[in-house]
Amino acid sequence: MKLDDAAARLEALGNTTRLKIYRALVRAGHAGMPVGRLQERLKIPASTLSHHVKTLVAVGLISQQREGTTLVCHAEYELMRSLLGFLVSECCVEEQGCSTARPAA
């Protein structure tokens, strides 16, 4: 993952409301969650939810899929794993004798 991409994704998650949305979708699993249920669960106005979901979609952390008349949001798990891997990929790399150190991919 490129540094600029990681920074954009982390910046998106740096907002409390967006982090709540993202965590709710991660917890929902691969089935995702309809926008209406997400709004009810988080108790935020539809316009606020729409604004924050748009930001998360723009950086690729979530996707949306229309199922009939329902818009369902899904966490992008592979991207989440990639972002987490980016964060830990160079853990202790400059520490002598660290057993968890590994060079960046």
Side-chain angles (χ1 to χ4, degrees), residues 21-99:
I21 292 166
Y22 189 67
R23 289 188 65 189
L25 293 174
V26 168
R27 293 179 66 156
H30 293 285
M33 187 181 298
V35 170
R37 190 174 327 142
L38 190 56
Q39 180 187 359
E40 289 172 11
R41 180 163 294 171
L42 299 177
K43 298 177 180 16
I44 57 177
S47 60
T48 301
L49 178 63
S50 177
H51 166 75
H52 290 298
V53 164
K54 182 179 176 182
T55 300
L56 293 169
V57 168
V59 296
L61 288 169
I62 68 172
S63 62
Q64 294 181 303
Q65 182 177 8
R66 185 153 302 277
E67 295 178 7
T69 59
T70 304
L71 190 59
V72 180
C73 295
H74 302 268
E76 292 295 326
Y77 292 101
E78 282 304 310
L79 189 73
M80 177 184 71
R81 289 182 189 99
S82 178
L83 181 58
L84 293 171
F86 174 82
L87 292 173
V88 299
S89 67
E90 294 188 28
C91 176
C92 307
V93 75
E94 294 183 13
E95 182 179 333
Q96 291 290 326
C98 178
S99 63

